[in-house]
Amino acid sequence: KLIQSSNEKPLFKNNRNFFCYSIFKTLPLAVSKIWYDRGDYYSSTRKAYGNVHVDKLTQLADRYAVLTMLPELTKIEDSAEDTFLSIQNSATHAPHVFQLPDYELTGNVNNKGYKTAADGHIPMNAELLVAHYHTNMAAFLQLGKWFDFMRENGVYDNTRIILVADHGYRFLHQFDYMIVNKIYDEVHRMAFDVMGVNPLLMVKDFNATEFTTSNEFMTHADTPTLAVQGVIDNPVNPFTGKEISDKEKTAHPQIITTSGKHNINVNNGNIFDTSDGKFLSVHDDIFNPDNWEIVGPGTAP
């Protein structure tokens, strides 16, 4: 069913596109790019087939398949050698509503009568909110199966596992306590949502047995420090020769920007253009609005 949803529809779409392409070739250059529409020619099928753009579903299927195959892709060896494995997966970049209760990936979903652990606890009154939650949960479930595989093969306890996301998402506005009303984000025309800068960071240390949460101030840059802590004495970055440390995190407030100009194909060179956004400083508890301030360019230490 997934293969049909992912691959059959583009074939139907191409029949229409052959005709649209002939029109495209006859139009004046001034309007041809508009009509081209990135190859969609304003087709209604660009919208969710089921509930996501068909190309996005194909992307998700490819990425999600890797997560489901992690136990099969893992080889266990009896060795005293220390090893390091880094995996990057973008499944959660293509949010999709999964079929409950088993979070089955399909293009045709009917979840009438099903509920999730999030229902009644976080807003789930829009498809985008549901899609993000479902995709995250589906990814967690597959990672859990991989971790169970590690336990069954005796390598879970002697493995340090770090899960880190590249960014949060500032458009969901699911949690009131994450909204900083005193800071207005002109780029996205809404109050600043801390969720946008509060991505996932989870650590399972060697021989860990308990699950705890912490509101300690953390950044992405803590990941290398967490990875080498207690494993490598006096660690240094092999490319720069600088110490791997998290000292800068608490030495001063951290500076971030709300700029939406993050595409390096457009915004590149020696100076990063952030003129469409603000510079913000934050320290300690990121969920306390008093710890956020608007600062000017050049404020960063």
Side-chain angles (χ1 to χ4, degrees), residues 221-295:
D222 285 300
T223 306
T225 302
L226 292 169
V228 302
Q229 197 170 50
V231 177
I232 301 176
D233 295 330
N234 303 315
V236 296
N237 186 318
F239 300 100
T240 65
K242 294 184 177 181
E243 176 189 12
I244 296 178
S245 167
D246 61 356
K247 295 177 182 178
E248 285 293 308
K249 180 180 65 177
T250 55
H252 49 75
Q254 298 300 302
I255 308 298
I256 68 171
T257 179
T258 62
S259 172
K261 297 182 177 181
H262 49 72
N263 190 331
I264 60 173
N265 292 322
V266 177
N267 197 353
N268 51 47
N270 297 326
I271 298 177
F272 197 67
D273 180 8
T274 57
S275 58
D276 63 321
K278 291 184 174 72
F279 280 95
L280 308 177
S281 73
V282 62
H283 59 88
D284 301 320
D285 182 4
I286 66 172
F287 304 123
N288 183 349
D290 294 336
N291 292 342
W292 288 90
E293 298 294 338
I294 300 175
V295 297

Side-chain angles (χ1 to χ4, degrees), residues 112-157:
K112 185 177 181 179
Y114 289 108
K115 289 186 177 182
T116 71
D119 289 280
H121 297 279
I122 63 176
M124 298 282 279
N125 56 345
E127 188 173 43
L128 184 64
L129 302 178
V130 176
H132 274 275
Y133 178 83
H134 278 208
T135 306
N136 285 325
M137 291 306 104
F140 280 135
L141 287 172
Q142 295 306 321
L143 288 174
K145 293 178 181 178
W146 190 34
F147 300 153
D148 286 340
F149 169 82
M150 292 183 185
R151 291 187 182 93
E152 293 167 1
N153 287 273
V155 296
Y156 181 79
D157 289 337

Side-chain angles (χ1 to χ4, degrees), residues 50-257:
N51 38 40
V52 70
H53 187 301
V54 68
D55 294 336
K56 287 289 186 181
L57 181 54
T58 303
Q59 291 178 12
L60 174 58
D62 291 341
R63 299 164 181 175
Y64 183 69
V66 176
L67 297 180
T68 66
M69 294 294 293
L70 284 175
E72 286 75 12
L73 296 173
T74 304
K75 182 180 180 181
I76 307 296
E77 292 184 347
D78 187 7
S79 170
E81 181 183 5
D82 291 331
T83 60
F84 172 78
L85 174 65
S86 177
I87 298 176
Q88 185 277 332
N89 186 278
S90 296
T92 55
H93 273 237
H96 179 62
V97 178
F98 283 65
Q99 178 60 54
L100 300 176
D102 299 322
Y103 288 90
E104 178 187 0
L105 180 57
T106 175
N108 302 294
V109 176
N110 181 2
N111 283 330
K112 185 177 181 179
Y114 289 108
K115 289 186 177 182
T116 71
D119 289 280
H121 297 279
I122 63 176
M124 298 282 279
N125 56 345
E127 188 173 43
L128 184 64
L129 302 178
V130 176
H132 274 275
Y133 178 83
H134 278 208
T135 306
N136 285 325
M137 291 306 104
F140 280 135
L141 287 172
Q142 295 306 321
L143 288 174
K145 293 178 181 178
W146 190 34
F147 300 153
D148 286 340
F149 169 82
M150 292 183 185
R151 291 187 182 93
E152 293 167 1
N153 287 273
V155 296
Y156 181 79
D157 289 337
N158 67 338
T159 301
R160 174 177 289 166
I161 302 171
I162 302 174
L163 305 180
V164 58
D166 56 346
H167 60 79
Y169 195 65
R170 69 181 70 182
F171 305 111
L172 301 182
H173 275 225
Q174 288 179 298
F175 305 100
D176 292 340
Y177 70 93
M178 290 193 185
I179 308 300
V180 182
N181 289 305
K182 69 178 181 178
I183 299 176
Y184 186 74
D185 184 354
E186 287 89 355
V187 176
H188 305 101
R189 298 181 181 180
M190 59 178 64
F192 180 68
D193 189 348
V194 174
M195 185 184 288
V197 292
N198 183 42
L200 175 75
L201 178 59
M202 300 181 72
V203 181
K204 196 289 295 182
D205 212 343
F206 301 113
N207 299 305
T209 57
E210 297 182 357
F211 184 88
T212 60
T213 60
S214 172
N215 282 331
E216 178 185 350
F217 186 79
M218 303 293 288
T219 73
H220 283 171
D222 285 300
T223 306
T225 302
L226 292 169
V228 302
Q229 197 170 50
V231 177
I232 301 176
D233 295 330
N234 303 315
V236 296
N237 186 318
F239 300 100
T240 65
K242 294 184 177 181
E243 176 189 12
I244 296 178
S245 167
D246 61 356
K247 295 177 182 178
E248 285 293 308
K249 180 180 65 177
T250 55
H252 49 75
Q254 298 300 302
I255 308 298
I256 68 171
T257 179

